[in-house]
Amino acid sequence: MNARIMAAPAAATVRRSRYAAPGLYLFALPATLLFVVFIAYPILWVTGQSFFTRSAGGAPVFTGLASYREAILDPVFWTVVRNMALWGAITIPVQMLIGGLLAYFIERHTIRLRGFFRTMFFLPVVTSVSVISLVWVQIYAPYYGIAQAYLKHVGIVMTSSAIGDASSAIYALILVNIWQWTGFSMLMYIAGIAGLPGEVLDAARVDGAKGWRLAVHVIVPMLAPATKSLLLLGVIGTLQTFPIVHLMTGGGPNHASEVFGTLIFKRSFVLGDTGAGATLSVIVLLIALVLSLIQIVFLGASLSPARKERP
Amino acid sequence: MTRIKGLRRLVGLAAAALLGTGLAAPSAQAQQKEVTVWSWFIQSTMQKSIAAFEKQHPDVKVNYTYYNYSPEYITALKAAAASGSLPDVIGLQPGSLTQQYRDDLAPVNDLAAKAWGAGWADKVFPVNRKQMLMGNPQGDENYYIVPQESQVLCIWYNRKLFETLKLGVPKTYDELKAAAKALTAGGYIPMFQGAADGWQNENVFLMLANQFSAGIVDKAQAGTAKWTSPELVSAMKAWKGLFDDGIFQQGALGAHAYPTGAQLFAQARVGMMALGSWWMQESKFPPPLSQYIQNMDGFDFFYLPAVAGAPGASPPVGGIDIGYGLTKNGARNPAAWTFLASLTNGEALQEALNDLNDLPAFAGHEPKGDVSDHVKAMSARFMTDLPKAENQRFAQPAVAEALDNALAGVADGSLQPEAALAAVQAATDKALGK
C-alpha cells in the first residue's frame, strides 16, 4: 500500500516533467527519422508495389491481392519454402553444435594455440563470398575439381557435381554455408564461455560435476543466451540467404536450389516484374515477423544473462 | 599601421585570386562537357575507346562506370531508373533489358539519321536490326538501342590438341562423338559446358534448333510456332544427347563457363567449347598468356555438325553482343549522343575492334593494328557469316527463363523433352497475354 502511495506521485512527477520540457522529445527525433526513412517508408513502398504487376516495358497494372494468390499457387514458391525450411533446420543446429564444440575445446583445452585456432576457424566468416563460391564450385567439380584431385589417389572418381544435381544441390549449398558460418557460432560461444561465472563452475566441480556432466548440465544451460541469439540470427540469416546460392547455382538446376533471395532477384531484376518481387518480399517479411514472435513467446525477448526478472 | 596595411593588401590579393578563380572556373567547366556512361563492357577496352574519343573531342570528358553484369549492373540500373538518376548512356542487351528501360530511353532514329544519313539502318547487319526492334510494342519503330558489337556463336576447338590426337574438324555428329571420346581418353575435357549458366545452354540449344528448322525459335517466341513442335522436341532430345553421349564433360550442370571453363580452355585442358566470336579477345588480354591464346594460335572454330535427324549443320546464330541506349537524361546532353555515335560507329568503336572485343554491328569496320593473319582470317570468316545469322536473343525474359529451366530439367533427367517444352509454351503464352 505504502509503495503504491509512494509510486503514484513519482509517476506524476515524471509525466509533469515531460510535459514541462517537450524539448526532450527532440532527443528521440534522429532515431525516429532514421526509422521512418530507412525502415518504415521502404516497407510501405514495397507493400504498395506488391499490389501491382509489371512486365518488361509494360505499365504497372493494379492486381490487388491477386499477386499474392499467384505467388502462393506457384509451385516454385513451395520449392523455395521447402529449401528454406531445410536450410534453417540443418544449418542452425549443426552450426551451433560444431561451433559450440569448437569453442568448448578451444577454450578448455588449448592455451598456447588458442588464438591460432580461434583465427583459423573464424577465417571463413570474413572471407569474401565470391571467393568461397569459386573455391567450392571447384571442390565440387568432378573430373577436374579439387576434391577429385585427392579422391583419385584412393580410386574414387566423381561422376557428377553435387551442385549440378537437382536432388543434392540444396544440401551441397547448405554444407558450404555451414562451413562458412560455423566460426561465427564458435565466436559467440567463446564469448559466452568467457562470461561464465567462475564461482558457479567451481561449485559444480566441488559437487562432483566434471567432463561431459559439467558441459551438458552446467555450461550448456548457462550458455542459453548465446544459443538464443544464434537461433534468432540463424532464422534471419536463413531468410536473407542470397549470395552463395546466386553465385554457385543461380537457384538451379530448374529451381532445385532456389531460395527467397534468388527468386525475388529473378522476379524483380531479371524478369523486370517488380510487383511480383515486392509480393515475395512482403511474404518473407511476414514470415520473419511470425518466426520472431514465436521465438519471443517461447524463448523470451531477453538475450542477456544479466537481466533480472521483476519481482 | 604598416602591418594593417600589409594585411589589407594580403586580403585584397587573396580576394582577387579567389574572384579570379571563381570567374575562371565556370568558364572552364562550361567548355568541358561531361558524359556519364554505365556498362558491363570490359574496362580496359572502354578506356581505350574513351581515350580515342576524347582525343577527337577534347571538349568532352567521359566518365565511365564499370559494373559486373549480374547482380550489380542490373540492380544499379533499376535503382537509378526508379530515382530518375540514370547516366547519359547505358549499356544494353537487345530485347528484354532494353524493353525494361524503354520508358527511360530516348529514340535515336533522328539523331542517327542526322549523323549517318537517312539509310544508316541499312548498314546495320540484318540480325542486329531485327534485335534493335525486338520487344517494341506493335507499331513502335523507334530504335532505343544502338548496337556496338555483334557476335556469332560457334564451337571453338583447340587445334593443337586436335593435331596431337590426330583428330580432324568434326563434320558429322559421329565424328564429334569420336573426337569427344578421344579427348576423354587422352585425359582432356571433351567439350566444356557451363550448364549452370542459362546463357550457354540457350546458345547450344539455338544451334540445335536452327539445325532442324532455321528461325523456329524466333517463331516460337513470337507465338507463330509451338515450342512443342516436332523440330523443337527433336532439338531438345539432341540436347540431352550431348550429355548422354559424352560430348559435354561429366558434371556439366554444376559448372560455369566463366571463369572456370574459359581458364581450362585457355590452358588446353579442354578440347572444345561452345562460345562465340568474342573468344578472340582473350588474345588481347594482359600477359602472361598461354601459348594457345597467343595470337589465338591454338584455336579455331566450326559450327555444330548435324545431329541425328537434322538436315544440316547449325547455321550461324548470333546478333548484338552489346549495344547502348541514350537515356532521357542523356538526350538533354548533346555530347552524350556524340559519344554514343563514336562508340558504336566511329573512332571509339575502332579501338574496341582493335582489341578484338567482338565483331562490329555496322558494316564497313574491321580490326586494325597488331592482329595476326590467323585472327584476321577467322574474323573475316565470322564477318562473312554474320549477315546471314539467325537471331540469338529473346524478347521476353520470362520465355528465356522458362527455356533455361527446361534445358536444365531435361539435362538432369528430371523432365522429359515434351513436358519441358510444354512449360516453355505456357510461359510464352502467358508472356504474350494469350
Side-chain angles (χ1 to χ4, degrees), chain B residues 238-250:
Chain B
W239 160 253
K240 174 77 167 133
L242 294 173
F243 291 84
D244 296 343
D245 294 339
I247 309 286
F248 292 151
Q249 83 280 16
Q250 290 173 322

Side-chain angles (χ1 to χ4, degrees), chain A residues 207-224:
Chain A
D207 289 343
K210 60 181 180 179
W212 178 254
R213 200 177 169 85
L214 179 74
V216 172
H217 294 288
V218 180
I219 294 177
V220 169
M222 287 204 299
L223 290 177

Side-chain angles (χ1 to χ4, degrees), chain A residues 47-68:
Chain A
T47 307
Q49 289 290 307
S50 72
F51 299 124
F52 292 86
T53 186
R54 179 181 175 142
S55 57
V61 178
F62 181 76
T63 55
L65 291 173
S67 56
Y68 286 86

